[in-house]
């Protein structure tokens, strides 16, 4: 985990529309592969003007790694539905993943925390995701969904190379 904090962030320009399309496709692939019998609902928050033509500067593999962790966690706990919301605006990308299960969120970002320890699951996904979000000028927030269940929101700065802190 300490080496993870030294990981470089390799931001590349990508149109917001392309970013959203890539992330939506990625979410569908992950849930199809790991969420047997689960439904996926994806909502796109386009902002007030509905435009997604602006450019972002994003480390797409890093963002997809975080999305993988959030979706894998949801696939392991959801009873029927996983909801993903993608928002790109005002220099920020926000990914929210919510499931329909009782939550254990207070300790969710602690390393090695898991309610279902197994040989395949070490309880590091949310901790790793939190570190990666921080490297990309964002954060990871845990809470409850509007209808219950867990809701995890990952944010990332979409500014240029010099904007590692996320302050816009």
């Amino acid at each position: 985990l300490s080496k993870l904090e030294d990981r470089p962030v390799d931001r590349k320009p990508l149109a917001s529309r392309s970013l959203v399309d890539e992330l939506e496709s990625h979410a569908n692939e992950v849930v199809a592969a790991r969420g047997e019998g689960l439904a996926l609902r994806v909502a796109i928050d386009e902002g007030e003007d509905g435009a997604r033509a602006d450019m972002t500067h994003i480390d797409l593999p890093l963002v997809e790694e975080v999305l993988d962790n959030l979706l894998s966690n949801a696939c392991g706990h959801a009873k029927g539905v996983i909801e993903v919301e993608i928002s790109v605006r005002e220099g920020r990308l926000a990914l929210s993943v919510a499931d329909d299960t009782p939550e254990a969120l207070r300790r969710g970002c602690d390393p090695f925390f898991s309610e279902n320890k197994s040989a395949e699951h070490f309880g590091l996904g949310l901790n790793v995701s939190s570190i990666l979000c921080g490297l990309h000028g964002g954060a990871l927030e845990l809470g409850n969904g509007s209808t219950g269940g867990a809701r995890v929101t990952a944010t990332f700065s979409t500014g240029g190379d010099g904007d590692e802190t996320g302050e816009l």
Side-chain angles (χ1 to χ4, degrees):
L1 290 175
S2 63
K3 292 283 185 195
L4 186 61
E5 293 173 353
D6 296 333
R7 178 176 171 172
V9 175
D10 185 20
R11 296 171 186 259
K12 298 211 181 330
L14 184 63
S16 294
R17 177 169 298 279
S18 296
L19 174 61
V20 168
D21 291 345
E22 288 282 337
L23 294 173
E24 183 175 13
S25 175
H26 191 81
N28 280 303
E29 290 171 10
V30 170
V31 173
R34 299 182 193 150
E36 185 177 331
L38 295 174
L40 174 66
R41 295 185 193 138
V42 178
I44 310 299
D45 179 359
E46 298 180 285
E48 294 177 17
D49 60 3
R52 289 189 285 156
D54 54 330
M55 291 297 290
T56 64
H57 292 84
I58 202 97
D59 185 332
L60 186 59
L62 182 148
V63 171
E64 288 179 332
E65 185 175 339
V66 170
L67 184 57
D68 279 352
N69 286 337
L70 302 186
L71 288 169
S72 292
N73 196 46
C75 286
H77 294 88
K79 296 179 194 266
V81 178
I82 296 172
E83 296 179 347
V84 174
E85 183 176 319
I86 303 169
S87 173
V88 182
R89 56 182 168 154
E90 299 174 11
R92 307 295 280 171
L93 164 65
L95 302 173
S96 291
V97 176
D99 62 40
D100 58 354
T101 187
E103 46 77 30
L105 295 175
R106 285 172 292 168
R107 297 184 50 215
C109 285
D110 291 353
F112 306 108
F113 174 74
S114 175
E115 289 190 327
N116 303 318
K117 293 215 185 266
S118 70
E120 297 85 31
H121 182 76
F122 299 105
L124 291 173
L126 292 179
N127 183 257
V128 167
S129 294
S130 179
I131 292 168
L132 294 177
C133 288
L135 288 174
H136 208 297
L140 193 74
E141 295 179 19
L142 309 177
N144 295 318
S146 59
T147 60
R151 181 178 188 87
V152 181
T153 302
T155 58
F156 307 86
S157 166
T158 60
D161 291 330
D163 182 26
E164 302 268 330
T165 65
E167 296 176 16
L168 301 173

